Every structure is written in structure tokens, then in C-alpha cells.
């Protein structure tokens, strides 16, 4: 299915968020996630099922003022 | 000591981590400033590049407390979601809450800000709201549960100093017990000294240091200015007056009478 990851369409075989992150190359990276604008805690990523067209945000620490 | 949500800090100079020429210069500036709090943000991470991971290891190596922000958020929902993501990644309940209302001035949307502050305070966050000097907004933010306020000096990155001295002075006088941190718009160390002289508890500086010719030297200069301003505040500055008052005693002046 196709999901929108950080604003770009990606094809994924994964059915839930943690598998999608692995597939997309995030591995053990320190990231925070949101699906369709709602925060998804790391602990519930494995049981967060994805659907066609879902908007996934994957954020990491960055410089800020 | 400066106390923010129960945390005691020696330094009254908080630093932003953005716009430095390199991570090495950022590190040198944080050390020169003797800063104990550094602001950070969250941005989209690419699975291939993973740029954020390296930055995070640099910040962790500094041994400072981080203050994550919600910079770039224009709505309550964005700010609240970003705050939750920041709390998980950075492992702190502290959040510098920004809800931007207008892009030319990056002026806070104070209506969205108070709503987001209410939601986050109720959820256990320790909120540092980036706000204006408006007294009524400040009241609302405190009622929402904020125990620190971060009024702007001038628009972010403008370097104009304390734009509305009357408003800021009134804010300080109106809330004598609330920690007030001037956030945004400070351009040079004298602006920071002025803020501390006026009784503000601390300043948060980013662009003025990061974009200086020598950021580490400027960070040291800001640290001195903040210390001088605080010492002056504690020493009790004189009130300005309109007419001259001779400093040399007049009694016994020669050639008179």
C-alpha cells in the first residue's frame, strides 16, 4: 500500500507502524512518530495498523531556537 | 539561583542551538556561555541520512538540560502533537511552546497559545510559553497552569532588543514572583544586560550568538552582560530623573557668597 511519509509517497509491505519504520530504514534511530496528525508513542507502534493513504510523520532531534 | 519548575540553575543565559556554522562552534559557544539549558527542536528525519541522530549525540555530550520547542507550529493541534513527540524523544516534561500566528513577525498566536498551554499543562507538561508582553495573555497562561513565561523582546532573529520597554516593565511589575525569560529579539549583550537590570530572570539567545563573527566570544560576552545585569538589579539601580543633581556636595563650594 502507499503511505505518505514525511510528505513523500512511499510503498510499503508493512501492516503496522513499527514494521514500516524498519522497512524505511529507521532501524534503532531515536525518532518520534505521528499518524494522521496524532502522536503515536513508541510503545504502541507495533499495534498501530496502517491504512492506504495514511500520513506518517517521523521526527528526530534537530537544531532549534 | 534561577528556579524553573523546581530546577535550580546558576546560569541565567539560555542558548538556542540553531544557525551555528558548525557543531564544533555550537559546542564552543555553549561552553563559553556556561549555559545550562539549550533549546532543541524536532524535524522530519530521513531513514537514509538520519541527520538528527548525530545532532542528538552532540547535544547529549554537552551535559546540558534541553528545552525542546514547538517552533514552526501554526495550530494548537500541531503544537500539542509536537510537544508529545518531544517529550518522548528528549525525555523531559519541559516544552517551549510556540504557536506562530503571523509569518512576517513570527508573532505568537496568543489565542492558540493559551489553548495549547491549557491542554499541555493538564497533561503534565511544564510549559514555557513564547508570548507577547500582553498582561491579559500572561494572566491566561498562568491560569492555564504555566509557571514560567517567555515574553518576546522583539521579533525572532531581528536583533532589535527590547522593543516595548513600557509593556515589558509593566509585565515585570505585574507578576513579581513569576520567572520571566526574555525570548527572541535580543541583538547584543547590552540588550541582555538591560533585560536583567529591569528584573527579568533570564534571557534566551540564539541568532545573536550563532550568527556573530565569533560565536564563542559573543557567548562569553553575553554571559558577562547577563551577570552584570543581574548584579545591577540586585544592587538597586537609581531612578532616572529629568534634571541634573550635582554629585559633588554643594555645601562649602568656594567663591559663593
Amino acid at each position: 500500500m502507499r503511505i505518505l511519509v514525511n510528505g513523500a509517497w512511499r510503498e510499503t509491505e508493512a501492516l503496522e507502524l513499527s514494521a514500516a519504520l524498519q522497512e524505511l530504514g529507521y532501524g534503532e534511530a531515536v525518532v518520534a512518530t505521528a499518524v494522521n496528525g496524532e502522536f503515536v508513542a513508541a510503545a504502541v507502534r507495533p499495534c498501530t495498523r496502517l491504512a492506504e493513504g495514511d500520513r506518517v510523520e517521523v521526527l528526530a532531534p534537530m537544531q532549534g531556537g | 539561583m534561577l528556579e524553573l519548575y523546581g530546577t535550580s540553575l546558576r546560569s541565567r543565559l539560555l542558548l538556542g542551538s540553531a544557525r551555528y556554522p558548525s557543531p564544533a562552534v555550537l559546542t564552543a559557544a555553549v561552553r563559553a556561555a556556561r549555559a545550562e539549558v539549550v533549546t532543541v527542536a524536532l524535524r522530519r528525519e530521513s531513514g537514509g541520512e538520519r541527520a538528527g541522530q548525530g545532532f542528538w549525540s552532540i547535544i547529549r555530550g554537552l551535559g546540558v538540560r534541553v528545552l525542546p520547542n514547538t517552533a514552526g507550529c501554526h495550530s494548537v493541534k500541531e503544537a500539542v502533537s509536537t510537544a508529545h513527540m518531544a517529550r518522548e524523544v528528549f525525555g523531559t516534561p519541559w516544552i517551549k511552546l510556540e504557536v506562530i500566528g503571523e509569518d512576517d513577525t513570527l508573532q505568537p498566536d496568543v489565542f492558540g497559545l493559551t489553548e495549547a498551554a491549557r491542554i499541555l499543562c493538564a497533561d503534565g507538561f511544564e510549559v514555557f510559553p513564547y508570548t507577547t508582553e500582553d498582561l491579559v495573555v500572561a494572566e491566561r497562561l498562568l491560569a492555564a497552569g504555566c509557571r514560567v513565561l517567555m515574553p518576546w523582546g522583539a521579533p525572532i532573529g531581528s536583533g532589535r532588543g527590547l522593543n516595548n520597554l513600557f509593556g515589558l516593565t509593566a509585565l515585570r511589575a505585574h507578576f513579581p514572583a513569576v520567572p520571566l525569560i526574555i525570548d527572541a529579539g535580543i541583538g547584543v549583550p547590552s540588550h541582555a544586560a538591560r533585560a536583567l537590570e529591569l528584573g527579568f530572570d533570564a534571557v534566551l539567545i540564539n541568532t545573536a550568538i550563532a550568527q556573530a563573527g565569533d560565536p564563542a566570544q559573543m557567548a562569553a560576552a553575553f554571559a558577562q552582560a547577563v551577570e552584570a545585569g543581574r548584579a545591577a538589579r540586585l544592587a538597586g539601580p537609581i531612578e532616572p530623573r529629568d534634571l541634573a543633581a550635582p554629585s559633588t556636595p554643594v555645601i562649602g563650594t568656594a567663591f559663593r557668597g
Side-chain angles (χ1 to χ4, degrees):
Chain A
M1 71 183 151
R2 288 197 336 145
I3 56 174
L4 197 60
V5 180
N6 287 345
W9 286 106
R10 304 290 295 265
E11 193 69 39
T12 180
E13 304 289 317
L15 298 175
E16 40 79 13
L17 184 56
S18 55
L21 292 176
Q22 284 296 331
E23 195 186 292
L24 293 164
Y26 289 99
E28 302 306 309
V30 178
V31 293
T33 51
V35 176
N36 298 328
E38 300 288 346
F39 168 61
V40 177
V44 297
R45 283 176 201 155
C47 54
T48 301
R49 293 188 68 82
L50 294 174
E52 175 79 24
D54 273 351
R55 290 173 292 113
V56 177
E57 294 287 338
V58 187
L59 307 188
M62 194 56 65
Q63 294 86 342
Chain B
M1 294 278 265
L2 172 64
E3 190 165 314
L4 304 174
Y5 287 104
T7 295
S8 296
L9 300 164
R10 279 185 301 278
S11 172
R12 293 172 181 272
L13 174 56
L14 289 69
L15 241 55
S17 61
R19 307 188 71 186
Y20 283 85
S22 71
V25 176
L26 164 64
T27 300
V30 170
R31 298 222 163 102
R34 299 189 298 282
E36 295 171 283
V37 176
V38 172
T39 58
V40 290
L42 285 175
R43 284 291 179 272
R44 285 172 166 175
E45 180 85 325
S46 150
E49 294 172 11
R50 295 199 192 184
Q53 309 304 306
F55 171 72
W56 183 219
S57 91
I58 289 165
I59 292 292
R60 272 184 303 191
L62 291 172
V64 293
R65 187 173 289 272
V66 294
L67 174 57
N69 69 26
T70 64
C73 291
H74 283 68
S75 71
V76 172
K77 187 177 181 191
E78 286 173 11
V80 169
S81 291
T82 303
H84 279 279
M85 295 168 93
R87 180 162 68 176
E88 182 180 88
V89 163
F90 296 111
T92 173
W94 283 14
I95 190 76
K96 184 183 150 208
L97 182 61
E98 299 182 30
V99 182
I100 298 302
E102 202 280 317
D103 278 334
D104 286 334
T105 58
L106 296 177
Q107 180 165 340
D109 166 4
V110 294
F111 306 99
L113 181 70
T114 49
E115 173 65 7
R118 187 186 60 73
I119 294 167
L120 292 171
C121 288
D123 209 351
F125 284 87
E126 295 174 346
V127 177
F128 295 63
Y130 165 61
T131 184
T132 66
E133 64 276 26
D134 190 293
L135 294 179
V136 180
V137 174
E139 290 274 15
R140 298 284 168 89
L141 289 168
L142 295 172
C146 298
R147 288 191 279 137
V148 175
L149 300 178
M150 299 187 87
W152 65 349
I156 295 171
S158 69
R160 300 181 68 86
L162 307 178
N163 244 358
N164 179 0
L165 267 183
F166 172 79
L168 288 168
T169 306
L171 184 70
R172 177 68 287 177
H174 205 72
F175 302 102
V178 178
L180 299 178
I181 303 170
I182 296 287
D183 175 16
I186 299 277
V188 285
S190 56
H191 295 155
R194 184 88 170 109
L196 274 287
E197 286 165 4
L198 290 171
F200 287 92
D201 295 278
V203 290
L204 169 55
I205 313 287
N206 194 153
T207 305
I209 291 176
Q211 296 282 293
D214 182 339
Q217 193 172 351
M218 188 61 84
F222 265 101
Q224 291 171 345
V226 165
E227 282 186 22
R230 177 63 183 174
R233 174 68 178 184
L234 295 176
I238 63 164
E239 289 297 323
R241 46 184 290 159
D242 290 332
L243 299 177
S247 49
T248 303
V250 178
I251 296 169
T253 305
F255 315 119
R256 295 276 173 89

